[in-house]
């Protein structure tokens, strides 16, 4: 197969775009597509200060790399959850973020170390509380959301960017459609407006890229990232949904993309306008972040909860 741009051997083929590119033109295409998505969805401008949530995985490190290349003012945020489980998952992913930043003069980042700041790692907090019984993933989501909002506000950033790709978004949509969670469907978008003081504006510049495309970019450009999934993700519903979508994609290339872009088109046509609920928010009495819960937010409550019986 030959590169469509220059005719040299292609290193990567995208069946859904009917496009094959070489190792020079693929990264070029990838960076240009990201720039287009940022502009198309009005995510941010070169004047904005962007906080990129980096997990040490391929998507978020590739995102940070591309934003720096495009000249955006992009700093990183790594949240150290203290996940060990014998494999040192958090320490290993933190090392990837540190290595990435050390190799680039303009890559500055903040680390939020959950154990150091709140006295417990994610697995410890999850074991102690009812919410975390079974799987710590819901406590994890709560902690990450809170840290992302906090650092965006305290660091004076205009916007928070995450590395969610099209496979992530399609799997979330699939799960929400299966259960007809119309409120969630109505809110799933490449840009989430700041919903109030302390709740960051959130953007997903990679939401149109397949996971294999972000992986190919990281591989071709030599970004070293953590290959392993979080040890708690094994058996997660979202991974099962990704498997089902991949089977359909195999038989009909473009299925995932059509599924997700269909959602964006429907939103543009106003299909979900009536479904988007307005929730009333108050500042948390402890941290000040807006919350729908009266008194303390769920995050602040987490650290005060007595051990579950
Ligand atoms: P995940 O929920 O693991 O699929 O990750 C989705 C996105 O959340 C990633 O692309 C990152 O932007 C962000 N993220 C996940 N884990 C972390 C972390 N430990 N620290 C900072 N950002 C993270
Ligand atoms: Fe949060 Fe796995 S990354 S539970
Ligand atoms: Zn080429
Ligand atoms: Zn709070």
């Amino acid at each position: 197969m030959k590169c469509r741009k220059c005719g040299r051997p292609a290193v990567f083929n995208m069946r859904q775009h009917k496009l094959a590119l070489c190792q020079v033109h693929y990264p070029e295409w990838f960076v240009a597509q990201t720039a287009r998505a940022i502009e198309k969805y009005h995510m941010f401008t070169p004047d904005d200060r962007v906080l990129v949530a980096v997990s040490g995985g391929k998507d978020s490190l590739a995102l940070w790399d591309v934003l720096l290349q495009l000249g955006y003012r992009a700093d990183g945020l790594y949240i150290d959850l203290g996940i060990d489980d014998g494999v040192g998952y958090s320490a290993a992913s933190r090392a990837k973020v540190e290595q990435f930043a050390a190799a680039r003069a303009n890559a500055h980042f903040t680390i939020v170390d959950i154990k150091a700041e709140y006295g417990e790692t994610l697995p410890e907090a999850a074991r102690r509380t009812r919410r975390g019984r079974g799987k710590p993933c819901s406590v994890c989501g709560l902690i990450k959301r809170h840290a992302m909002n906090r650092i965006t506000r305290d660091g004076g950033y205009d916007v928070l960017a995450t590395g969610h790709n099209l496979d992530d978004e399609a799997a979330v949509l699939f799960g929400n459609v299966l259960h007809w969670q119309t409120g969630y469907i109505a809110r799933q978008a490449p840009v989430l407006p700041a919903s109030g003081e302390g709740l960051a504006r959130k953007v997903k510049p990679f939401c149109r890229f397949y996971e294999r495309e972000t992986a190919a970019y990281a591989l071709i450009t030599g970004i070293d990232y953590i290959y392993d999934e979080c040890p708690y993700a094994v058996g997660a519903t979202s991974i099962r949904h990704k498997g089902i979508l991949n089977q359909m994609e195999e038989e009909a290339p473009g299925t995932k993309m059509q599924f997700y872009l269909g959602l964006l088109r429907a939103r543009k046509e106003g299909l979900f306008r009536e479904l988007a609920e307005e929730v009333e928010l108050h500042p948390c009495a402890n941290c000040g972040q807006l919350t729908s819960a009266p008194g303390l937010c769920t995050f602040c409550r987490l650290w005060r909860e007595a051990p579950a019986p």
Side-chain angles (χ1 to χ4, degrees), residues 12 31 45 58 90 99 110 119 159 185 210 259 263 303-304:
F12 193 58
V31 171
T45 69
K58 60 186 182 321
S90 289
Q99 269 170 31
T110 306
V159 64
I185 298 172
Y210 278 31
F259 183 47
L263 168 78
W303 305 106
R304 296 171 186 215

Side-chain angles (χ1 to χ4, degrees), residues 4-159:
R4 185 192 293 172
K5 288 256 172 79
C6 69
R8 278 190 290 244
V11 292
F12 193 58
N13 181 30
M14 293 168 281
R15 288 206 293 166
Q16 79 284 9
H17 294 310
K18 296 193 175 61
L19 179 65
L21 293 167
C22 71
Q23 60 188 14
V24 172
H25 290 116
Y26 179 67
E28 235 178 68
W29 175 86
F30 188 88
V31 171
Q33 289 293 111
T34 310
R36 273 179 60 179
I38 292 167
E39 282 166 29
K40 180 180 170 73
Y41 299 113
H42 308 289
M43 291 185 173
F44 44 80
T45 69
D47 292 332
D48 288 325
R49 288 188 63 223
V50 184
L51 183 66
V52 189
V54 279
S55 63
K58 60 186 182 321
D59 303 294
S60 48
L61 286 181
L63 175 60
W64 196 9
D65 177 83
V66 172
L67 295 187
L68 290 174
Q69 273 193 57
L70 288 169
Y72 286 109
R73 304 163 71 195
D75 295 342
L77 163 66
Y78 176 72
I79 304 159
D80 190 333
L81 299 154
I83 300 172
D84 183 355
D85 265 46
V87 289
Y89 177 72
S90 289
S93 24
R94 179 172 171 157
K96 297 292 182 197
V97 173
E98 288 169 341
Q99 269 170 31
F100 177 97
R104 289 162 179 80
N106 55 347
H108 308 290
F109 68 105
T110 306
I111 292 184
V112 171
D113 184 324
I114 298 302
K115 171 103 179 175
E117 292 198 32
Y118 302 98
E120 279 177 328
T121 63
L122 161 70
E124 286 165 355
R127 268 195 300 274
R128 177 176 48 78
T129 55
R130 195 167 309 129
R131 182 187 262 270
R133 280 286 155 96
K135 283 214 158 237
C137 299
S138 119
V139 176
C140 177
L142 177 69
I143 293 177
K144 286 198 288 206
R145 265 195 309 280
H146 193 274
M148 289 177 193
N149 282 323
R150 174 164 71 90
I151 303 300
T152 307
R153 179 184 68 178
D154 294 355
Y157 292 97
D158 298 292
V159 64

